[in-house]
Amino acid sequence: MNKSEKQAIKKAVDEAKEIQRRKNEFYSIRPILGNSNWAIFYILLGGREAGKSYAITQYFVKKWKEKQIPFYWIRLNEQSKKKMLANNAEKLVDPDIYRHYDLNLKVKGDNVYDHGKKMATVVCLSTFANDKGVATFDKDFLNDLQMQYHICLDEFQMEKTQRSQGDIAYQFVNQLENLVRSTKDRLKIFLVGNTLEEASDILKMFNYIPEEFGIYRVKKKRAVIDYMEPSEAYV
């Protein structure tokens, strides 16, 4: 084994250790995915800097690499969507995940390609009306029994300092209709929010706003809510 091969192996080992370190130190979605036999919505609240978005991204990319399952990443407005897609979507996937899974991302329009295959689509809520005219729904997608719909609405709760951009709940429901129509099967939708100071309209849709930290199962709405304490890094 030559020097370059040893260096490549060491790099791969170090990256695998970093992935594992993050799994141990930061948030894991494994407990809430234990409800996937009935749940569609997985709502992650609080826990600033706990690694919520990181955990979801790592899960999505892992499933992409294992089974070629693409995913949708939703932002509130077009400005934040453009930032996500800038520089070949460098803000979509953390660098260690990028290296660990040997990604090679390129952006074309709202789509993100890995080694020439469409891995992800980034959309926003505020343009749902314009998106209705775009052919995003594939009626044959679930014919492949390995396929699932993986969707994440990141930072769905607006901070007090952010200006209102209209009825977010209405936009969310309509954007979901654009993406999956009335599909209820093999569907995982993650919603990520940092604050409960002012519960958003989206959270009110589930008729349940937690008052204490913990995991809550709202079966009538097919939703799991994980309300977590802030991480030590944030505190």
Side-chain angles (χ1 to χ4, degrees):
M1 184 181 297
N2 59 39
K3 184 177 179 180
S4 62
E5 289 174 331
K6 288 181 179 180
Q7 289 175 338
I9 291 174
K10 183 180 184 302
K11 182 180 179 182
V13 170
D14 289 344
E15 289 170 357
K17 287 180 178 178
E18 175 63 15
I19 293 284
Q20 188 61 47
R21 183 188 71 80
R22 290 216 179 197
K23 285 181 179 179
N24 294 336
E25 184 176 342
F26 295 104
Y27 179 76
S28 171
I29 61 174
R30 184 174 296 178
I32 61 173
L33 288 180
N35 301 280
S36 61
N37 60 322
W38 60 269
I40 289 177
F41 298 96
Y42 302 84
I43 305 168
L44 317 182
L45 298 172
R48 283 182 182 273
E49 298 189 23
K52 301 185 298 296
S53 297
Y54 178 93
I56 296 168
T57 304
Q58 197 271 340
Y59 174 75
F60 281 0
V61 172
K62 184 173 185 288
K63 294 304 178 183
W64 160 252
K65 284 298 189 181
E66 289 177 348
K67 300 181 179 180
Q68 297 287 287
I69 300 175
F71 61 90
Y72 293 99
W73 202 269
I74 307 177
R75 303 289 288 178
L76 286 181
N77 53 54
E78 194 162 12
Q79 182 180 6
S80 59
K81 181 189 80 172
K82 288 180 178 179
K83 288 181 179 179
M84 184 71 70
L85 291 169
N87 298 320
N88 286 318
E90 68 174 3
K91 299 294 186 184
L92 178 63
V93 179
D94 289 78
D96 58 312
I97 296 176
Y98 194 108
R99 293 190 299 268
H100 180 75
Y101 290 99
D102 189 31
L103 298 177
N104 183 11
L105 303 185
K106 302 292 182 184
V107 171
K108 184 177 180 181
D110 294 339
N111 298 319
V112 181
Y113 294 82
D114 171 38
H115 294 278
K117 296 182 179 180
K118 189 167 75 170
M119 180 187 81
T121 301
V122 181
V123 299
C124 62
L125 295 186
S126 59
T127 61
F128 79 89
N130 295 333
D131 295 338
K132 282 186 177 296
V134 180
T136 54
F137 177 70
D138 180 358
K139 66 180 179 61
D140 299 322
F141 178 70
L142 293 181
N143 288 348
D144 183 341
L145 297 181
Q146 289 199 99
M147 291 298 104
Q148 300 180 22
Y149 283 107
H150 287 167
I151 300 171
C152 178
L153 172 57
D154 197 15
E155 298 180 4
F156 73 89
Q157 289 186 302
M158 300 184 73
E159 303 284 358
K160 287 183 176 180
T161 56
Q162 291 177 294
R163 294 189 333 186
S164 174
Q165 59 168 49
D167 189 335
I168 294 177
Y170 178 76
Q171 295 170 1
F172 176 60
V173 169
N174 279 274
Q175 191 63 281
L176 280 184
E177 183 180 341
N178 289 341
L179 301 179
V180 301
R181 297 295 190 266
S182 59
T183 302
K184 297 292 191 299
D185 299 322
R186 285 180 274 158
L187 180 62
K188 290 186 177 74
I189 302 173
F190 295 86
L191 299 93
V192 181
N194 282 326
T195 177
L196 271 181
E197 292 176 5
E198 291 184 0
S200 72
D201 291 338
I202 287 181
L203 195 57
K204 292 176 183 177
M205 288 171 53
F206 296 94
N207 294 329
Y208 195 95
I209 299 177
E211 296 181 356
E212 298 180 353
F213 300 121
I215 295 178
Y216 302 86
R217 294 164 180 85
V218 188
K219 291 195 173 183
K220 288 184 178 180
K221 299 292 184 178
R222 301 187 70 176
V224 182
I225 301 174
D226 191 352
Y227 181 31
M228 64 200 77
E229 299 181 65
S231 69
E232 292 183 4
Y234 180 72
V235 174

